[in-house]
């Protein structure tokens, strides 16, 4: 949702806009594939193109562990990080830890926005924000706030930490029902945050990447080539239990014009196509989609399962965990596979 002031009349007037994450979609449907026939004999099914995992790079296993306790060094990031935690503590919430991996993704995102002269949550590559972090190996459940300042002057002369804090204060000043940014900052499920920014060509971009991390370790490794079979394994935090996993299959990202990218001022996670539950769990159906008992759980909180990515697109895996004596399961991690046709017809990165 964009909120902008009218075009500036003064050469050095700044305009501000910011956007936030859309609501996670839980109600889903699943489309099946029907058989085809013709004449007196069954028609031969069309040949399936060879497939490969375009991203992330699984030449070696991708392993992410809970980020070490660190603190940002950049003064702009320090100012925003400390203000975020001050606001959370004032609301009776726990402070979030610094997430350097998420901050690096946010820096690259903001730098590309300045280069493209776009704004919002999407770049012209069309990759959704949750896939942007997950494909970079940052596997927490992601929610994003994005702030944009522009000026008609040749350059921004205001201190960048001031612009970053002004954007944050505007978000915290929101009132229901238009308070999506404030809710993201004060999300009780958030455990970490990374802040990134970039400035140039009369633009300042800042992104706050809030993460919910409920795992000591998550790992992806390739077991087979075509169709790609990926082993997913990990270990939850001592306070958490893996309840189930949902897998959503959506079309691969499509290129966007600058105007199309900037118009996407909100986003949501895709609807699940199927779900996986622990092997020994009672019969259940997750979110109204087909659910298989395929997750192997161990007493030491470790788990593993396989994904056979037999069609092109983005495969988004959400890990739902529950805490002892807590409410219903919530997402505590995300992994994404970008699957495409292999060979000459494969899209170029």
């Amino acid at each position: 949702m964009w909120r902008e002031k009218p075009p500036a009349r003064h050469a050095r007037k700044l305009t501000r806009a910011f956007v936030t994450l859309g609501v996670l979609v839980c109600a889903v449907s699943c489309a099946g594939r029907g058989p085809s026939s013709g004449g007196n004999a069954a028609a031969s099914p069309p040949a399936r193109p060879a497939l490969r995992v375009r991203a992330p790079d699984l030449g070696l296993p991708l392993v992410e562990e809970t980020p070490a306790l660190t603190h940002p060094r950049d003064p702009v990031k320090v100012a925003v990080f400390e203000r975020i935690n001050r606001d959370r503590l004032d609301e009776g919430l726990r402070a979030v830890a610094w997430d350097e991996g998420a901050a690096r993704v946010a820096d690259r995102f903001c730098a590309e926005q300045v280069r493209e002269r776009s704004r919002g949550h999407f770049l012209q590559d069309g990759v959704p924000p949750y896939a942007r972090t997950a494909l970079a190996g940052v596997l927490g459940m992601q929610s994003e706030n994005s702030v944009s300042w522009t000026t008609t002057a040749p350059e921004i002369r205001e201190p960048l930490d001031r612009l970053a804090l002004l954007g944050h204060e505007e978000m915290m000043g929101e009132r229901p029902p238009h308070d999506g940014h404030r809710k993201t900052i004060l999300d009780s499920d958030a455990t970490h945050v990374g802040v990134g920014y970039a400035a140039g060509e009369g633009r300042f971009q800042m992104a706050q990447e809030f993460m919910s991390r409920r795992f000591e370790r998550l790992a992806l490794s390739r077991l087979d080539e075509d169709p790609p079979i990926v082993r997913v394994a990990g270990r939850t935090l001592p306070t958490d239990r893996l309840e189930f996993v949902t897998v959503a299959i959506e079309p691969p990202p499509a290129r966007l014009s600058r105007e199309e990218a900037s118009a996407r001022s909100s986003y949501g996670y895709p609807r699940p196509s199927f779900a996986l539950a622990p092997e020994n769990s009672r019969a259940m159906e997750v979110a109204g989609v087909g659910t298989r008992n395929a997750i192997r759980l161990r007493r030491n909180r470790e788990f593993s399962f396989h994904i056979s990515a037999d069609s092109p697109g983005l495969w988004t895996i959400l890990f739902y965990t529950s805490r002892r004596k807590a409410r219903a399961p919530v997402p505590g991690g995300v992994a994404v596979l970008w699957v495409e046709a292999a060979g000459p017809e494969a899209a170029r990165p």
Side-chain angles (χ1 to χ4, degrees):
M1 64 201 82
W2 281 101
R3 295 197 301 151
E4 269 193 316
K5 298 177 183 177
R9 296 183 178 180
H10 192 279
R12 300 195 183 280
K13 180 68 174 179
L14 289 166
T15 60
R16 180 265 305 126
F18 43 82
V19 288
T20 192
L21 170 71
V23 177
L24 174 64
V25 178
C26 295
V28 300
S29 61
C30 182
R33 299 179 181 177
S36 61
S37 62
N40 296 324
S44 300
R48 179 185 60 77
L51 299 174
R52 66 165 184 148
V53 175
R54 169 172 171 171
D57 183 359
L58 296 181
L60 295 173
L62 168 62
V63 181
E64 191 195 33
E65 298 181 344
T66 302
L69 289 176
T70 59
H71 197 273
R73 297 182 180 180
D74 180 281
V76 175
K77 298 181 182 184
V78 169
V80 176
F81 177 60
E82 292 180 348
R83 183 64 58 84
I84 286 171
N85 278 329
R86 187 189 313 167
D87 290 336
R88 288 178 63 89
L89 292 173
D90 287 346
E91 295 293 328
L93 298 171
R94 291 184 177 183
V96 287
W98 179 249
D99 197 314
E100 185 61 30
R104 286 195 296 269
V105 175
D107 280 334
R108 291 194 295 268
F109 170 56
C110 291
E112 279 298 297
Q113 284 187 306
V114 169
R115 186 187 66 80
E116 294 180 354
R117 305 187 66 80
S118 60
R119 59 192 181 190
H121 292 293
F122 283 77
L123 297 171
Q124 290 182 257
D125 61 13
V127 176
Y130 52 86
R132 185 187 311 123
T133 51
L135 292 175
V138 179
L139 305 181
M141 177 70 182
Q142 180 257 23
S143 301
E144 178 179 271
N145 281 340
S146 178
V147 174
S148 179
W149 289 90
T150 61
T151 180
T152 55
E155 61 183 15
I156 292 179
R157 295 184 179 179
E158 281 77 3
L160 299 186
D161 58 345
R162 179 174 179 270
L163 293 182
L165 290 174
L166 282 174
H168 177 83
E169 289 168 5
E170 289 278 357
M171 293 187 287
M172 282 299 299
E174 293 174 341
R175 293 292 179 264
H178 307 294
D179 59 342
H181 310 92
R182 187 175 189 272
K183 287 180 178 177
T184 298
I185 296 167
L186 301 179
D187 182 2
S188 60
D189 290 326
T191 61
H192 293 72
V193 70
V195 177
Y197 71 95
E201 301 181 17
R203 303 177 66 88
F204 172 75
Q205 299 289 153
M206 179 184 73
Q208 298 173 341
E209 305 290 348
F210 286 88
M211 315 296 289
S212 177
R213 293 181 174 274
R214 301 296 180 186
F215 296 90
E216 290 182 353
R217 183 184 71 259
L218 280 174
L220 307 177
S221 56
R222 186 175 59 205
L223 297 182
D224 207 347
E225 295 286 345
D226 183 30
I229 299 177
V230 176
R231 182 177 186 267
V232 182
R235 179 183 172 101
T236 62
L237 295 174
T239 54
D240 287 77
R241 168 186 167 84
L242 180 64
E243 297 290 347
F244 59 85
V245 167
T246 63
V247 181
I249 309 170
E250 57 183 319
R255 292 286 301 178
L256 303 172
S257 67
R258 182 174 63 187
E259 293 73 22
E260 289 172 331
S262 297
R264 297 193 177 189
S265 57
S266 63
Y267 69 98
Y269 280 75
R271 298 178 176 182
S273 303
F274 63 90
L276 304 176
E279 290 177 333
N280 58 353
S281 63
R282 292 178 295 178
M284 68 166 67
E285 185 176 273
V286 176
V289 298
T291 304
R292 303 195 300 270
N293 296 85
I295 302 175
R296 178 165 296 180
L297 291 180
R298 298 173 179 83
R299 293 182 181 273
N300 61 358
R301 306 189 316 279
E302 292 188 353
F303 64 89
S304 63
F305 59 89
H306 295 170
I307 294 290
S308 179
D310 58 359
S311 62
L314 286 184
W315 291 60
T316 300
I317 307 164
L318 290 185
F319 302 82
Y320 283 79
T321 68
S322 65
R323 312 198 79 179
R324 295 173 184 174
K325 300 179 181 179
R327 51 188 167 82
V330 295
V334 179
V336 175
L337 303 173
W338 185 345
V339 181
E340 68 177 5
E345 65 272 29
R348 295 295 180 187

